[in-house]
Amino acid sequence: MINTDLWKRSAPYSITSLPTWPCPFCGKEALRLDFKSIKFKTSKRQFDPDSFKMDNFEDNVFLGFLGVLSTAIEKSSWIQSRFVGFLDCSSCGDNVCFSGRAEIYKKTSQGGPDHPARLYPEYFSPSLPVFTLNEQYPEDVRKLLLKSFSLLFSDPASAANIVRRAIELLLDNLKVAKVNSKGKKVNLYHRIEFFEKHYPELKGILHAIRFVGNEGSHSGSVSKIDLIDSYEIVDYVLDELFLRSKTRSRVRSLSEKMTSSFGNS
């Protein structure tokens, strides 16, 4: 099960209170920052254009201007930087490299309170496991999902599109037809409709993943929260298809065996 509270937490993260992300080696939520490893380098570009969104002006020009001005003043108190560092696993002892943007608070001649650096992670090596990819899941599906995990922080839209491709591979593994009765190639929508014949309870949620993947492909704007919701659905689908279904099948087989042996007693 996905820890949605952990993954939906948004950057910036204070360097003194980073989330305890799961280790890609042992799966435990036990990654801790090695403070001695982290390095910063000041960026020449000190203002991120994404901080000044033009849609702030759409409803009210004056309030939009105040919003941009407030953002500019707040940003001017921080030095835009890049960072690289290591996270050590307190459970298995292995480590993960991560990097991204950072903001370092400017110290003034008047003194005043200091503030810890703010981190905007973009890349982790190896990728963090958003949910457990059981070895019973198809290997090609697992590989695609790992690729999607690697883009979670830097490019959610591309990550969502990869999830959509993983669903296509999943249907391939389940032998869901790629062509209709006339031999014409069909799209993912129709393949999910074919899939309904065998797993009607999963059809609707597979379409939900398709919607998010399409949004990532066409508009390039998928939020991290929407992406995490997609992962939660995929986690459920894979568990239902490859783990619970086998358990149900075995329980059914055992019950039939017991009924046959003891039914007349």
Side-chain angles (χ1 to χ4, degrees):
M1 181 177 291
I2 295 179
N3 183 348
T4 54
D5 291 336
L6 169 68
W7 292 108
K8 289 185 177 181
R9 219 178 124 186
S10 298
Y13 307 111
S14 169
I15 193 173
T16 58
S17 58
L18 288 176
T20 308
W21 288 300
C23 173
F25 301 100
C26 69
K28 302 286 182 61
E29 291 183 4
L31 290 179
R32 300 283 190 277
L33 176 64
D34 176 359
F35 283 92
K36 293 181 180 179
S37 73
I38 197 158
K39 304 294 181 186
F40 298 96
K41 190 167 186 177
T42 302
S43 301
K44 289 185 178 180
R45 189 176 185 178
Q46 284 300 300
F47 288 98
D48 185 354
D50 289 341
S51 300
F52 306 96
K53 299 187 181 299
M54 295 306 295
D55 56 11
N56 289 336
F57 294 93
E58 289 182 359
D59 296 327
N60 188 302
V61 174
F62 178 68
L63 291 178
F65 174 76
L66 288 181
V68 170
L69 180 62
S70 174
T71 299
I73 292 173
E74 201 277 335
K75 287 290 184 183
S76 69
S77 301
W78 299 82
I79 301 171
Q80 302 299 311
S81 308
R82 305 293 301 178
F83 81 89
V84 64
F86 285 89
L87 301 165
D88 293 335
C89 180
S90 59
S91 179
C92 70
D94 223 316
N95 59 75
V96 172
C97 177
F98 76 133
S99 62
R101 289 196 305 113
E103 294 175 336
I104 311 297
Y105 191 72
K106 290 181 180 178
K107 295 181 180 179
T108 63
S109 57
Q110 290 81 16
D114 198 2
H115 299 277
R118 303 192 302 204
L119 304 185
Y120 298 79
E122 295 172 348
Y123 302 102
F124 292 79
S125 180
S127 304
L128 302 183
V130 180
F131 63 88
T132 302
L133 296 174
N134 192 284
E135 290 186 357
Q136 294 188 53
Y137 301 162
E139 183 178 4
D140 50 0
V141 174
R142 284 188 280 128
K143 285 182 178 179
L144 264 188
L145 289 173
L146 278 174
K147 185 176 181 180
S148 178
F149 294 167
S150 72
L151 297 172
L152 168 61
F153 290 86
S154 60
D155 192 352
S158 294
N161 182 250
I162 293 173
V163 173
R164 185 187 187 281
R165 287 163 50 198
I167 294 303
E168 292 176 341
L169 278 182
L170 173 62
L171 296 181
D172 290 348
N173 279 275
L174 295 173
K175 310 300 182 185
V176 176
K178 295 183 179 182
V179 297
N180 60 21
S181 58
K182 297 180 181 179
K184 185 178 179 181
K185 186 176 180 179
V186 295
N187 58 24
L188 181 57
Y189 170 85
H190 289 102
R191 294 192 74 198
I192 293 175
E193 294 295 308
F194 295 160
F195 175 77
E196 180 187 16
K197 296 176 182 178
H198 304 287
Y199 302 95
E201 70 281 5
L202 298 180
K203 183 189 79 168
I205 56 180
L206 285 183
H207 277 309
I209 299 171
R210 181 179 62 85
F211 294 147
V212 176
N214 288 348
E215 189 69 17
S217 300
H218 300 148
S219 71
S221 58
V222 172
S223 72
K224 182 183 174 186
I225 290 177
D226 287 337
L227 179 58
I228 296 301
D229 287 341
S230 293
Y231 287 147
E232 190 168 9
I233 292 173
V234 173
D235 182 30
Y236 171 81
V237 169
L238 291 173
D239 184 72
E240 188 71 20
L241 290 174
F242 296 96
L243 301 180
R244 295 182 191 176
S245 62
K246 290 185 178 181
T247 300
R248 284 197 301 268
S249 177
R250 174 152 178 77
V251 168
R252 190 180 302 113
S253 176
L254 288 173
S255 65
E256 290 173 353
K257 178 181 177 182
M258 293 174 70
T259 300
S260 175
S261 300
F262 305 105
N264 296 321
S265 60

